[in-house]
Amino acid sequence: MGYLHYHEIPRTLSKRLHRGLYSTQFESPQTIIRSRQDRRRTYSSTRHSHSQDGHRISEGGHATISSSRDSPLIDSFNRNHTYLRISLTERCNLRCQYCMPAEGVELSPSSDLLTTPETLRLARMFVHHGVNKIRLTGGEPTVRRDLLEIIRGLNEMKEPGKGLRTIAMTSNGVVLSVGTKLRDIVAAGLTHLNISLDTLDPYKFEALTRRPSKMHAAVLSTLDKALGMVVTNTESTGVHSLKLNVVVMKGVNDDEIASFANLTRTSPLCVRFIEFMPFQGNKWSRNTMVKSSELIERLRSTYPGFSSITSVSGDQTSREWKIPGYKGTLGFISSMSDHFCSSCTRLRLTADGQIKVCLFDPHEISLRDLLRKGASDEEVMVLVGKAVQGKKARHAGMENIARLSEMDGKYGALKNRPMIKIGG
């Protein structure tokens, strides 16, 4: 398959278009299975040496994948994908500016979305192959009526010492403030909760979300409830991890950093500051984005002893810091200014059943269509493996991502979706 390499726009775009390199056709699962079997036979009969990056090098000098990494979830850079984010819906009860264009988005027909049995079947396949963490996203996942049924189904995939360990969800928190909704989903098996809130000012909330400020009070109510359900014993039913996600935008909410930091003084909460990222229709600009490094320097000047507590090894998605004497922590997600691609272990499944191996890669493969054509679990996972093998070493960098987003599908460039249709 031909991929559009962001850094090659605009120098070679016309040449590549002329050559017709942007085919989106994929081999059938049966063809891929036969090809994989042929490669295995070739590997077993060929002497190999090893390159520095762990690839096996045949006598012909070509890198191949070693049999020890012959898993559909391990890519060509030896990243083992154990984290799956599943978007349950494209619908949301807010209209956050960085997530959805002001004019809204065209929603997929309900018949195009994964059903509950399809969602759970795909989740089970991924867990069988090593996924141990699943996060439910949207849209807003709590607007899905069968949310409890999905969480209960995922909870059945937990096994002592293996299988699924973490069932997480990212929510704006509005619906969870109602009645026993939050308690019910935790009782069903939810272990980790991220709440999205970009301002502590109700009037600013109204401007950012294009929704009434009374919803701001609902989010704060959910946060308070969730804090009361945090448990330190991971064997107990309760919220094992509670995080507050804040997308920081210059001149919009970057003056509230210290106020958010103070939320961690007496609460077991991780407040995570996320760099503003470019997606279709969200009018991203370099001038609006605040780098994580800038935020860290600001907080260092405010809180003496402010220091990093993140290990240099493992998943570096969020670098955590701590204010001395504070109960909670602060996290920094620098997707744009200091990417963490080398330790990325996540895959995404959209609400309409497309697998995305990278948030910023517009290429998608439909697992839904394969399921509905009667494919076996093995055939589905072979196609997943093909997608994973196509994952790049890193994303293209913020300027190229922004340029591609602005191109909006012009000149043959593939168009990435708005954030709300990918899944947060």
Side-chain angles (χ1 to χ4, degrees), residues 224-239:
D224 187 56
K225 285 183 179 182
L227 283 168
M229 299 177 67
V230 172
V231 295
T232 55
N233 180 1
T234 57
E235 299 301 319
S236 303
T237 299
V239 178

Side-chain angles (χ1 to χ4, degrees), residues 9 13 73 75 87 149 177 186 208 237 257 316 385 392 404:
I9 306 168
L13 182 57
L73 302 186
D75 68 13
S87 176
E149 182 182 350
S177 67
V186 171
L208 281 169
T237 299
I257 301 307
Q316 299 289 306
K392 302 293 185 291
L404 186 63

